[in-house]
Amino acid sequence: VRFDDESHRRGKGGKLQMQIKSYSDPADPSVKYAAGYGVKTANTMAYQYGYLEMRAKMSFIPGVWHSFWLQTLQPVAQDHFDYNERFGGCLTEVDVFEIHNTARERVTPNLHLWRWDNSIRYNYHIQTPDNYIGSRYYTFGDTSKLSEEYHIYGFLWTPQEMTMYIDNVPYISYDLTAALWNSGVENGLTEAAIHSPMDVIIGIGLSTPENVSWGNDSMWLDEDNFNGIDYFVDYVRLYQNRSVENTILLLG
């Protein structure tokens, strides 16, 4: 269950603090956990091109589902663009990182294209580009205190590339001047939608069989030993170079 209160999400000491705790709901025995909502700029800010970075620390344990990602087709962008006209309703998702597996030391980036029609509720989906340079994952070295450490997670987006960074070091790059998916893009999906304003989302969650229908045994939370998780955000910053063609900042 999600709560919008200061016991699960709050600003303190200039930092955003989000938590998930064990929770018992007498009215619904299936509810085991309580969490704060994540944070998103869907109604306030969207941008195209620039360098986005977040300094944060979070729990690295099996079963967490932390994320830092971007998405098109949100309200603040739809006020300025007709996505059906420009991209046939194709939605882009950029995962700067997700953590949702048993690896205590790994974060995973990804790109997605979604075809979504709200009137009849069908979708097509493609993810994990074939063409990239670098490492498919980022694996931390010394993990003995990883859950207690702040790290900087960066995302560079230009007309030519999308590159992910950790602690100012690039580890994976997608060439936007070439086809990303060797298998081709079908069913109304278009790589052109990658060049469209996106909002920013910071997510916190858990991987359990109840809330991750597409998951597997390697992802699940160790419920018997769960003692709560944290996600602390020191800052999120966006840098843009106005000399880069088609750079956009939309404010709601």
Side-chain angles (χ1 to χ4, degrees):
V1 63
R2 297 278 182 173
F3 288 102
D4 190 12
D5 61 46
E6 291 194 355
S7 65
H8 297 89
R9 185 187 67 183
R10 61 188 175 274
K12 184 176 181 181
K15 295 178 173 60
L16 170 66
Q17 301 182 7
M18 297 180 291
Q19 295 179 312
I20 299 181
K21 307 172 185 178
S22 296
Y23 180 79
S24 178
D25 185 348
D28 187 352
S30 67
V31 175
K32 302 176 183 179
Y33 309 103
Y37 287 98
V39 175
K40 60 182 180 181
T41 69
N43 295 302
T44 58
M45 189 277 283
Y47 82 98
Q48 180 172 311
Y49 304 148
Y51 179 73
L52 179 73
E53 71 174 18
M54 174 181 70
R55 183 175 185 266
K57 71 173 180 178
M58 61 205 78
S59 300
F60 278 82
I61 64 170
V64 303
W65 192 1
H66 299 314
S67 58
F68 182 41
W69 55 295
L70 301 92
Q71 193 174 58
T72 59
L73 271 176
Q74 301 309 299
V76 68
Q78 290 193 65
D79 287 343
H80 297 81
F81 294 95
D82 185 332
Y83 282 85
N84 281 312
E85 178 182 331
R86 294 181 63 173
F87 309 115
C90 181
L91 180 153
T92 304
E93 174 185 334
V94 177
D95 300 316
V96 180
F97 72 78
E98 289 183 285
I99 305 170
H100 54 63
N101 49 54
T102 58
R104 297 174 183 265
E105 70 287 339
R106 191 174 78 184
V107 299
T108 304
N110 211 339
L111 302 185
H112 303 249
L113 293 177
W114 299 84
R115 173 71 177 94
W116 181 260
D117 189 319
N118 287 318
S119 63
I120 58 177
R121 296 288 179 182
Y122 72 87
N123 69 81
Y124 299 106
H125 176 225
I126 188 170
Q127 64 173 322
T128 315
D130 306 301
N131 295 332
Y132 64 88
I133 299 171
S135 175
R136 181 68 188 86
Y137 311 98
Y138 182 90
T139 303
F140 287 94
D142 181 1
T143 62
S144 58
K145 296 183 178 180
L146 184 56
S147 295
E148 304 169 27
E149 298 171 348
Y150 279 93
H151 291 275
I152 298 173
Y153 302 88
F155 168 56
L156 176 65
W157 178 20
T158 75
Q160 292 77 38
E161 67 175 298
M162 286 180 170
T163 300
M164 315 305 184
Y165 294 73
I166 291 188
D167 295 328
N168 302 311
V169 177
Y171 68 96
I172 185 170
S173 185
Y174 304 95
D175 182 356
L176 303 188
T177 67
L180 294 173
W181 286 272
N182 291 327
S183 58
V185 177
E186 302 174 344
N187 297 321
L189 302 179
T190 171
E191 291 190 21
I194 289 172
H195 300 277
S196 182
M198 304 187 199
D199 73 319
V200 181
I201 305 165
I202 304 171
I204 180 172
L206 296 175
S207 292
T208 67
E210 293 80 13
N211 69 2
V212 185
S213 60
W214 47 266
N216 56 66
D217 290 346
S218 70
M219 294 173 56
W220 304 143
L221 179 72
D222 181 358
E223 300 188 63
D224 293 334
N225 296 299
F226 181 73
N227 193 33
I229 63 171
D230 297 291
Y231 195 150
F232 294 87
V233 179
D234 184 18
Y235 64 75
V236 178
R237 296 171 180 167
L238 172 64
Y239 303 89
Q240 291 184 297
N241 183 346
R242 291 298 180 177
S243 67
V244 175
E245 188 175 3
N246 295 322
T247 293
I248 295 171
L249 178 64
L250 305 175
L251 301 177

Short mmCIF file of all heavy atoms in Angstrom, two decimals, residues 74-127:
data_model
loop_
_atom_site.label_atom_id
_atom_site.label_comp_id
_atom_site.label_asym_id
_atom_site.label_seq_id
_atom_site.Cartn_x
_atom_site.Cartn_y
_atom_site.Cartn_z
N GLN A 74 3.73 12.45 -21.17
CA GLN A 74 3.19 12.89 -19.90
C GLN A 74 2.51 14.26 -20.06
O GLN A 74 2.73 14.97 -21.05
CB GLN A 74 4.29 12.93 -18.85
CG GLN A 74 4.96 11.58 -18.63
CD GLN A 74 3.96 10.46 -18.37
OE1 GLN A 74 3.22 10.51 -17.39
NE2 GLN A 74 3.90 9.47 -19.25
N PRO A 75 1.68 14.66 -19.08
CA PRO A 75 0.83 15.85 -19.28
C PRO A 75 1.56 17.13 -19.67
O PRO A 75 1.12 17.84 -20.58
CB PRO A 75 0.16 16.00 -17.90
CG PRO A 75 0.07 14.61 -17.39
CD PRO A 75 1.34 13.95 -17.84
N VAL A 76 2.68 17.45 -19.02
CA VAL A 76 3.33 18.72 -19.32
C VAL A 76 3.83 18.76 -20.76
O VAL A 76 3.83 19.80 -21.41
CB VAL A 76 4.48 19.01 -18.33
CG1 VAL A 76 5.64 18.04 -18.51
CG2 VAL A 76 4.96 20.45 -18.46
N ALA A 77 4.24 17.61 -21.30
CA ALA A 77 4.69 17.55 -22.69
C ALA A 77 3.51 17.53 -23.66
O ALA A 77 3.57 18.13 -24.73
CB ALA A 77 5.58 16.33 -22.90
N GLN A 78 2.43 16.85 -23.28
CA GLN A 78 1.27 16.79 -24.17
C GLN A 78 0.60 18.15 -24.34
O GLN A 78 -0.12 18.37 -25.32
CB GLN A 78 0.26 15.78 -23.63
CG GLN A 78 0.74 14.34 -23.75
CD GLN A 78 -0.37 13.34 -23.51
OE1 GLN A 78 -1.33 13.26 -24.27
NE2 GLN A 78 -0.25 12.58 -22.44
N ASP A 79 0.87 19.06 -23.41
CA ASP A 79 0.36 20.43 -23.58
C ASP A 79 1.02 21.14 -24.75
O ASP A 79 0.51 22.14 -25.26
CB ASP A 79 0.60 21.25 -22.30
CG ASP A 79 -0.33 20.84 -21.18
OD1 ASP A 79 -1.34 20.17 -21.46
OD2 ASP A 79 -0.03 21.17 -20.02
N HIS A 80 2.18 20.62 -25.19
CA HIS A 80 2.95 21.29 -26.25
C HIS A 80 3.07 20.46 -27.52
O HIS A 80 3.38 21.02 -28.57
CB HIS A 80 4.36 21.61 -25.74
CG HIS A 80 4.38 22.58 -24.60
ND1 HIS A 80 4.14 22.21 -23.29
CD2 HIS A 80 4.60 23.92 -24.57
CE1 HIS A 80 4.24 23.27 -22.51
NE2 HIS A 80 4.52 24.30 -23.25
N PHE A 81 2.87 19.13 -27.44
CA PHE A 81 3.11 18.28 -28.60
C PHE A 81 1.97 17.31 -28.80
O PHE A 81 1.43 16.77 -27.84
CB PHE A 81 4.42 17.48 -28.42
CG PHE A 81 5.65 18.33 -28.39
CD1 PHE A 81 6.19 18.74 -27.18
CD2 PHE A 81 6.27 18.73 -29.56
CE1 PHE A 81 7.33 19.52 -27.15
CE2 PHE A 81 7.40 19.51 -29.54
CZ PHE A 81 7.93 19.91 -28.34
N ASP A 82 1.62 17.07 -30.04
CA ASP A 82 0.66 16.05 -30.40
C ASP A 82 1.44 14.79 -30.77
O ASP A 82 1.96 14.67 -31.88
CB ASP A 82 -0.21 16.51 -31.57
CG ASP A 82 -1.32 15.52 -31.90
OD1 ASP A 82 -1.14 14.32 -31.64
OD2 ASP A 82 -2.36 15.95 -32.45
N TYR A 83 1.54 13.86 -29.83
CA TYR A 83 2.37 12.69 -30.04
C TYR A 83 1.78 11.75 -31.08
O TYR A 83 2.50 11.04 -31.77
CB TYR A 83 2.58 11.95 -28.71
CG TYR A 83 3.60 12.61 -27.82
CD1 TYR A 83 3.25 13.65 -26.98
CD2 TYR A 83 4.93 12.21 -27.86
CE1 TYR A 83 4.19 14.27 -26.17
CE2 TYR A 83 5.88 12.82 -27.06
CZ TYR A 83 5.50 13.85 -26.22
OH TYR A 83 6.43 14.46 -25.43
N ASN A 84 0.46 11.72 -31.19
CA ASN A 84 -0.15 10.89 -32.24
C ASN A 84 0.25 11.40 -33.61
O ASN A 84 0.53 10.62 -34.52
CB ASN A 84 -1.67 10.89 -32.08
CG ASN A 84 -2.11 9.94 -30.99
OD1 ASN A 84 -1.68 8.80 -30.93
ND2 ASN A 84 -2.98 10.42 -30.11
N GLU A 85 0.29 12.71 -33.75
CA GLU A 85 0.65 13.29 -35.04
C GLU A 85 2.12 13.09 -35.34
O GLU A 85 2.51 12.76 -36.46
CB GLU A 85 0.31 14.78 -35.04
CG GLU A 85 0.70 15.50 -36.32
CD GLU A 85 0.38 16.99 -36.26
OE1 GLU A 85 -0.56 17.38 -35.56
OE2 GLU A 85 1.13 17.76 -36.90
N ARG A 86 2.97 13.26 -34.33
CA ARG A 86 4.42 13.21 -34.56
C ARG A 86 4.98 11.79 -34.58
O ARG A 86 5.85 11.46 -35.38
CB ARG A 86 5.15 14.03 -33.49
CG ARG A 86 4.86 15.52 -33.57
CD ARG A 86 5.62 16.28 -32.50
NE ARG A 86 7.07 16.18 -32.67
CZ ARG A 86 7.94 16.87 -31.93
NH1 ARG A 86 7.51 17.71 -31.01
NH2 ARG A 86 9.23 16.74 -32.13
N PHE A 87 4.48 10.94 -33.67
CA PHE A 87 5.08 9.61 -33.51
C PHE A 87 4.05 8.48 -33.49
O PHE A 87 4.36 7.36 -33.10
CB PHE A 87 5.90 9.55 -32.22
CG PHE A 87 6.88 10.66 -32.07
CD1 PHE A 87 6.76 11.59 -31.06
CD2 PHE A 87 7.93 10.80 -32.96
CE1 PHE A 87 7.66 12.63 -30.91
CE2 PHE A 87 8.84 11.84 -32.84
CZ PHE A 87 8.71 12.76 -31.81
N GLY A 88 2.82 8.76 -33.88
CA GLY A 88 1.80 7.73 -33.87
C GLY A 88 1.48 7.21 -32.49
O GLY A 88 1.04 6.06 -32.33
N GLY A 89 1.69 8.02 -31.47
CA GLY A 89 1.40 7.58 -30.11
C GLY A 89 2.49 6.72 -29.50
O GLY A 89 2.30 6.14 -28.42
N CYS A 90 3.64 6.61 -30.15
CA CYS A 90 4.74 5.80 -29.61
C CYS A 90 5.33 6.47 -28.38
O CYS A 90 5.67 7.65 -28.39
CB CYS A 90 5.81 5.60 -30.67
SG CYS A 90 7.20 4.59 -30.13
N LEU A 91 5.45 5.72 -27.31
CA LEU A 91 5.97 6.21 -26.04
C LEU A 91 7.40 5.69 -25.84
O LEU A 91 7.68 4.53 -26.14
CB LEU A 91 5.06 5.74 -24.91
CG LEU A 91 5.37 6.13 -23.47
CD1 LEU A 91 4.07 6.16 -22.66
CD2 LEU A 91 6.33 5.14 -22.81
N THR A 92 8.27 6.55 -25.34
CA THR A 92 9.65 6.17 -25.04
C THR A 92 9.87 6.12 -23.54
O THR A 92 9.38 6.98 -22.80
CB THR A 92 10.64 7.18 -25.64
OG1 THR A 92 10.41 7.30 -27.04
CG2 THR A 92 12.08 6.75 -25.39
N GLU A 93 10.59 5.11 -23.09
CA GLU A 93 11.01 5.01 -21.69
C GLU A 93 12.52 4.84 -21.66
O GLU A 93 13.07 3.99 -22.36
CB GLU A 93 10.34 3.82 -21.00
CG GLU A 93 10.83 3.56 -19.58
CD GLU A 93 10.22 2.31 -18.97
OE1 GLU A 93 9.11 1.92 -19.37
OE2 GLU A 93 10.89 1.72 -18.09
N VAL A 94 13.19 5.65 -20.86
CA VAL A 94 14.64 5.55 -20.68
C VAL A 94 14.91 5.24 -19.21
O VAL A 94 14.60 6.06 -18.34
CB VAL A 94 15.36 6.85 -21.08
CG1 VAL A 94 16.86 6.72 -20.81
CG2 VAL A 94 15.10 7.19 -22.53
N ASP A 95 15.46 4.09 -18.93
CA ASP A 95 15.84 3.74 -17.57
C ASP A 95 17.31 4.10 -17.37
O ASP A 95 18.19 3.40 -17.88
CB ASP A 95 15.64 2.24 -17.32
CG ASP A 95 14.19 1.82 -17.52
OD1 ASP A 95 13.31 2.55 -17.04
OD2 ASP A 95 13.95 0.79 -18.15
N VAL A 96 17.55 5.20 -16.68
CA VAL A 96 18.93 5.51 -16.32
C VAL A 96 19.48 4.35 -15.51
O VAL A 96 20.61 3.91 -15.70
CB VAL A 96 19.01 6.84 -15.55
CG1 VAL A 96 20.46 7.16 -15.17
CG2 VAL A 96 18.41 7.98 -16.38
N PHE A 97 18.66 3.84 -14.60
CA PHE A 97 18.96 2.56 -13.96
C PHE A 97 17.70 2.01 -13.30
O PHE A 97 16.78 2.73 -12.94
CB PHE A 97 20.08 2.66 -12.93
CG PHE A 97 19.70 3.37 -11.65
CD1 PHE A 97 18.96 2.73 -10.67
CD2 PHE A 97 20.11 4.67 -11.42
CE1 PHE A 97 18.61 3.39 -9.49
CE2 PHE A 97 19.77 5.33 -10.25
CZ PHE A 97 19.01 4.68 -9.28
N GLU A 98 17.70 0.70 -13.16
CA GLU A 98 16.76 -0.01 -12.30
C GLU A 98 17.57 -1.00 -11.47
O GLU A 98 18.61 -1.49 -11.91
CB GLU A 98 15.72 -0.78 -13.11
CG GLU A 98 14.70 0.09 -13.82
CD GLU A 98 13.66 -0.73 -14.54
OE1 GLU A 98 13.98 -1.29 -15.60
OE2 GLU A 98 12.51 -0.81 -14.03
N ILE A 99 17.09 -1.27 -10.26
CA ILE A 99 17.65 -2.32 -9.41
C ILE A 99 16.50 -3.23 -9.05
O ILE A 99 15.61 -2.85 -8.29
CB ILE A 99 18.29 -1.74 -8.13
CG1 ILE A 99 19.33 -0.68 -8.47
CG2 ILE A 99 18.92 -2.86 -7.30
CD1 ILE A 99 19.82 0.09 -7.27
N HIS A 100 16.45 -4.41 -9.63
CA HIS A 100 15.33 -5.31 -9.34
C HIS A 100 15.76 -6.77 -9.53
O HIS A 100 15.09 -7.55 -10.17
CB HIS A 100 14.11 -5.00 -10.21
CG HIS A 100 14.37 -4.97 -11.68
ND1 HIS A 100 14.80 -6.07 -12.38
CD2 HIS A 100 14.26 -3.98 -12.59
CE1 HIS A 100 14.92 -5.75 -13.65
NE2 HIS A 100 14.61 -4.49 -13.81
N ASN A 101 16.88 -7.13 -8.95
CA ASN A 101 17.32 -8.51 -9.04
C ASN A 101 18.11 -8.87 -7.79
O ASN A 101 18.24 -8.05 -6.88
CB ASN A 101 18.17 -8.73 -10.30
CG ASN A 101 19.25 -7.66 -10.42
OD1 ASN A 101 20.01 -7.45 -9.49
ND2 ASN A 101 19.29 -6.97 -11.55
N THR A 102 18.62 -10.07 -7.74
CA THR A 102 19.31 -10.50 -6.53
C THR A 102 20.73 -9.97 -6.44
O THR A 102 21.38 -10.12 -5.42
CB THR A 102 19.38 -12.04 -6.47
OG1 THR A 102 20.04 -12.53 -7.64
CG2 THR A 102 17.98 -12.63 -6.40
N ALA A 103 21.24 -9.35 -7.50
CA ALA A 103 22.61 -8.82 -7.46
C ALA A 103 22.68 -7.66 -6.48
O ALA A 103 22.00 -6.66 -6.64
CB ALA A 103 23.04 -8.38 -8.85
N ARG A 104 23.52 -7.78 -5.50
CA ARG A 104 23.65 -6.74 -4.49
C ARG A 104 24.56 -5.60 -4.96
O ARG A 104 24.75 -4.63 -4.24
CB ARG A 104 24.23 -7.33 -3.20
CG ARG A 104 23.35 -8.38 -2.55
CD ARG A 104 24.06 -9.01 -1.36
NE ARG A 104 23.27 -10.07 -0.76
CZ ARG A 104 22.49 -9.89 0.30
NH1 ARG A 104 22.39 -8.70 0.85
NH2 ARG A 104 21.80 -10.89 0.82
N GLU A 105 25.10 -5.71 -6.16
CA GLU A 105 26.10 -4.74 -6.58
C GLU A 105 25.87 -4.23 -7.99
O GLU A 105 26.73 -3.59 -8.56
CB GLU A 105 27.50 -5.38 -6.51
CG GLU A 105 27.79 -6.45 -7.56
CD GLU A 105 27.10 -7.78 -7.33
OE1 GLU A 105 26.70 -8.04 -6.18
OE2 GLU A 105 26.95 -8.54 -8.30
N ARG A 106 24.68 -4.45 -8.56
CA ARG A 106 24.48 -4.17 -9.97
C ARG A 106 23.29 -3.25 -10.22
O ARG A 106 22.26 -3.36 -9.57
CB ARG A 106 24.24 -5.50 -10.73
CG ARG A 106 24.29 -5.35 -12.23
CD ARG A 106 24.21 -6.71 -12.89
NE ARG A 106 22.85 -7.23 -12.91
CZ ARG A 106 22.52 -8.44 -13.36
NH1 ARG A 106 23.47 -9.26 -13.79
NH2 ARG A 106 21.27 -8.84 -13.38
N VAL A 107 23.46 -2.32 -11.18
CA VAL A 107 22.35 -1.52 -11.67
C VAL A 107 22.22 -1.77 -13.17
O VAL A 107 23.21 -2.04 -13.86
CB VAL A 107 22.52 -0.01 -11.37
CG1 VAL A 107 22.61 0.23 -9.87
CG2 VAL A 107 23.73 0.56 -12.08
N THR A 108 20.99 -1.65 -13.67
CA THR A 108 20.69 -2.00 -15.06
C THR A 108 20.06 -0.82 -15.78
O THR A 108 19.01 -0.34 -15.35
CB THR A 108 19.72 -3.19 -15.11
OG1 THR A 108 20.26 -4.28 -14.38
CG2 THR A 108 19.47 -3.62 -16.54
N PRO A 109 20.65 -0.35 -16.89
CA PRO A 109 20.01 0.66 -17.73
C PRO A 109 19.19 -0.02 -18.82
O PRO A 109 19.35 -1.22 -19.08
CB PRO A 109 21.20 1.41 -18.33
CG PRO A 109 22.23 0.32 -18.50
CD PRO A 109 22.02 -0.65 -17.36
N ASN A 110 18.32 0.75 -19.48
CA ASN A 110 17.55 0.17 -20.57
C ASN A 110 16.83 1.26 -21.35
O ASN A 110 16.61 2.36 -20.83
CB ASN A 110 16.52 -0.83 -20.05
CG ASN A 110 16.25 -1.96 -21.02
OD1 ASN A 110 16.52 -1.84 -22.23
ND2 ASN A 110 15.72 -3.06 -20.53
N LEU A 111 16.47 0.95 -22.59
CA LEU A 111 15.60 1.78 -23.41
C LEU A 111 14.39 0.95 -23.82
O LEU A 111 14.52 -0.24 -24.11
CB LEU A 111 16.32 2.28 -24.67
CG LEU A 111 17.60 3.09 -24.52
CD1 LEU A 111 18.06 3.58 -25.90
CD2 LEU A 111 17.41 4.26 -23.59
N HIS A 112 13.21 1.59 -23.84
CA HIS A 112 11.99 0.92 -24.26
C HIS A 112 11.25 1.80 -25.27
O HIS A 112 11.29 3.04 -25.17
CB HIS A 112 11.02 0.72 -23.08
CG HIS A 112 11.55 -0.04 -21.93
ND1 HIS A 112 11.10 -1.31 -21.61
CD2 HIS A 112 12.46 0.28 -20.97
CE1 HIS A 112 11.71 -1.74 -20.51
NE2 HIS A 112 12.54 -0.78 -20.11
N LEU A 113 10.54 1.16 -26.19
CA LEU A 113 9.54 1.82 -27.01
C LEU A 113 8.21 1.11 -26.78
O LEU A 113 8.14 -0.12 -26.81
CB LEU A 113 9.90 1.75 -28.50
CG LEU A 113 11.13 2.52 -28.96
CD1 LEU A 113 11.37 2.27 -30.45
CD2 LEU A 113 10.98 4.02 -28.71
N TRP A 114 7.16 1.90 -26.50
CA TRP A 114 5.82 1.36 -26.27
C TRP A 114 4.86 1.97 -27.29
O TRP A 114 4.92 3.16 -27.57
CB TRP A 114 5.31 1.73 -24.88
CG TRP A 114 6.11 1.24 -23.72
CD1 TRP A 114 7.22 1.82 -23.18
CD2 TRP A 114 5.86 0.07 -22.95
NE1 TRP A 114 7.68 1.09 -22.11
CE2 TRP A 114 6.86 0.01 -21.94
CE3 TRP A 114 4.89 -0.94 -23.00
CZ2 TRP A 114 6.91 -1.01 -21.00
CZ3 TRP A 114 4.93 -1.95 -22.06
CH2 TRP A 114 5.94 -1.98 -21.07
N ARG A 115 3.97 1.15 -27.81
CA ARG A 115 2.86 1.64 -28.62
C ARG A 115 1.61 1.46 -27.79
O ARG A 115 1.23 0.36 -27.45
CB ARG A 115 2.74 0.85 -29.93
CG ARG A 115 1.50 1.19 -30.75
CD ARG A 115 1.61 2.58 -31.37
NE ARG A 115 0.44 2.86 -32.20
CZ ARG A 115 -0.66 3.49 -31.78
NH1 ARG A 115 -0.72 3.91 -30.54
NH2 ARG A 115 -1.66 3.71 -32.60
N TRP A 116 0.98 2.58 -27.41
CA TRP A 116 -0.13 2.50 -26.47
C TRP A 116 -1.29 3.33 -26.98
O TRP A 116 -1.15 4.49 -27.33
CB TRP A 116 0.32 3.04 -25.11
CG TRP A 116 -0.75 2.98 -24.07
CD1 TRP A 116 -1.55 4.00 -23.64
CD2 TRP A 116 -1.14 1.83 -23.32
NE1 TRP A 116 -2.41 3.56 -22.68
CE2 TRP A 116 -2.20 2.22 -22.46
CE3 TRP A 116 -0.73 0.50 -23.31
CZ2 TRP A 116 -2.82 1.34 -21.58
CZ3 TRP A 116 -1.35 -0.37 -22.43
CH2 TRP A 116 -2.37 0.05 -21.57
N ASP A 117 -2.46 2.70 -27.04
CA ASP A 117 -3.67 3.39 -27.48
C ASP A 117 -4.67 3.33 -26.33
O ASP A 117 -5.22 2.27 -26.01
CB ASP A 117 -4.24 2.71 -28.72
CG ASP A 117 -5.38 3.52 -29.34
OD1 ASP A 117 -6.20 4.04 -28.58
OD2 ASP A 117 -5.42 3.61 -30.58
N ASN A 118 -4.90 4.47 -25.69
CA ASN A 118 -5.73 4.48 -24.49
C ASN A 118 -7.19 4.15 -24.78
O ASN A 118 -7.93 3.75 -23.88
CB ASN A 118 -5.65 5.85 -23.82
CG ASN A 118 -4.32 6.05 -23.13
OD1 ASN A 118 -3.83 5.13 -22.48
ND2 ASN A 118 -3.73 7.22 -23.27
N SER A 119 -7.63 4.31 -26.03
CA SER A 119 -9.05 4.09 -26.30
C SER A 119 -9.40 2.61 -26.33
O SER A 119 -10.50 2.22 -25.95
CB SER A 119 -9.43 4.75 -27.64
OG SER A 119 -8.72 4.15 -28.70
N ILE A 120 -8.48 1.78 -26.77
CA ILE A 120 -8.80 0.35 -26.85
C ILE A 120 -7.84 -0.51 -26.02
O ILE A 120 -7.95 -1.73 -26.00
CB ILE A 120 -8.82 -0.14 -28.30
CG1 ILE A 120 -7.48 0.12 -29.00
CG2 ILE A 120 -9.93 0.52 -29.07
CD1 ILE A 120 -7.42 -0.42 -30.42
N ARG A 121 -6.92 0.14 -25.33
CA ARG A 121 -6.06 -0.55 -24.37
C ARG A 121 -5.29 -1.72 -24.96
O ARG A 121 -5.40 -2.86 -24.53
CB ARG A 121 -6.89 -1.04 -23.18
CG ARG A 121 -7.52 0.07 -22.37
CD ARG A 121 -6.47 0.80 -21.55
NE ARG A 121 -7.05 1.89 -20.79
CZ ARG A 121 -6.38 2.73 -20.02
NH1 ARG A 121 -5.07 2.58 -19.93
NH2 ARG A 121 -6.97 3.68 -19.37
N TYR A 122 -4.48 -1.46 -25.96
CA TYR A 122 -3.54 -2.47 -26.41
C TYR A 122 -2.16 -1.83 -26.49
O TYR A 122 -2.03 -0.62 -26.57
CB TYR A 122 -3.93 -3.04 -27.78
CG TYR A 122 -3.73 -2.11 -28.94
CD1 TYR A 122 -2.51 -2.04 -29.60
CD2 TYR A 122 -4.78 -1.30 -29.38
CE1 TYR A 122 -2.33 -1.18 -30.67
CE2 TYR A 122 -4.61 -0.43 -30.45
CZ TYR A 122 -3.38 -0.38 -31.09
OH TYR A 122 -3.20 0.48 -32.15
N ASN A 123 -1.15 -2.66 -26.40
CA ASN A 123 0.20 -2.10 -26.51
C ASN A 123 1.14 -3.08 -27.19
O ASN A 123 0.94 -4.29 -27.15
CB ASN A 123 0.74 -1.71 -25.13
CG ASN A 123 1.03 -2.90 -24.24
OD1 ASN A 123 2.06 -3.54 -24.38
ND2 ASN A 123 0.10 -3.22 -23.34
N TYR A 124 2.14 -2.51 -27.84
CA TYR A 124 3.28 -3.26 -28.37
C TYR A 124 4.52 -2.70 -27.68
O TYR A 124 4.56 -1.54 -27.29
CB TYR A 124 3.40 -3.09 -29.88
CG TYR A 124 2.20 -3.57 -30.65
CD1 TYR A 124 1.30 -2.67 -31.21
CD2 TYR A 124 1.98 -4.94 -30.84
CE1 TYR A 124 0.20 -3.11 -31.93
CE2 TYR A 124 0.88 -5.38 -31.56
CZ TYR A 124 -0.01 -4.46 -32.10
OH TYR A 124 -1.09 -4.89 -32.80
N HIS A 125 5.54 -3.53 -27.57
CA HIS A 125 6.68 -3.15 -26.75
C HIS A 125 7.96 -3.76 -27.29
O HIS A 125 7.97 -4.91 -27.73
CB HIS A 125 6.42 -3.64 -25.30
CG HIS A 125 7.56 -3.39 -24.38
ND1 HIS A 125 8.02 -4.34 -23.49
CD2 HIS A 125 8.34 -2.30 -24.18
CE1 HIS A 125 9.02 -3.84 -22.79
NE2 HIS A 125 9.25 -2.61 -23.20
N ILE A 126 9.03 -2.97 -27.27
CA ILE A 126 10.36 -3.48 -27.59
C ILE A 126 11.34 -2.80 -26.63
O ILE A 126 11.16 -1.65 -26.25
CB ILE A 126 10.74 -3.20 -29.06
CG1 ILE A 126 12.03 -3.91 -29.43
CG2 ILE A 126 10.82 -1.71 -29.35
CD1 ILE A 126 12.33 -3.87 -30.93
N GLN A 127 12.35 -3.55 -26.18
CA GLN A 127 13.31 -3.01 -25.22
C GLN A 127 14.69 -3.59 -25.49
O GLN A 127 14.88 -4.38 -26.40
CB GLN A 127 12.88 -3.32 -23.79
CG GLN A 127 12.86 -4.81 -23.47
CD GLN A 127 12.59 -5.09 -22.01
OE1 GLN A 127 13.05 -4.37 -21.13
NE2 GLN A 127 11.81 -6.11 -21.74
#
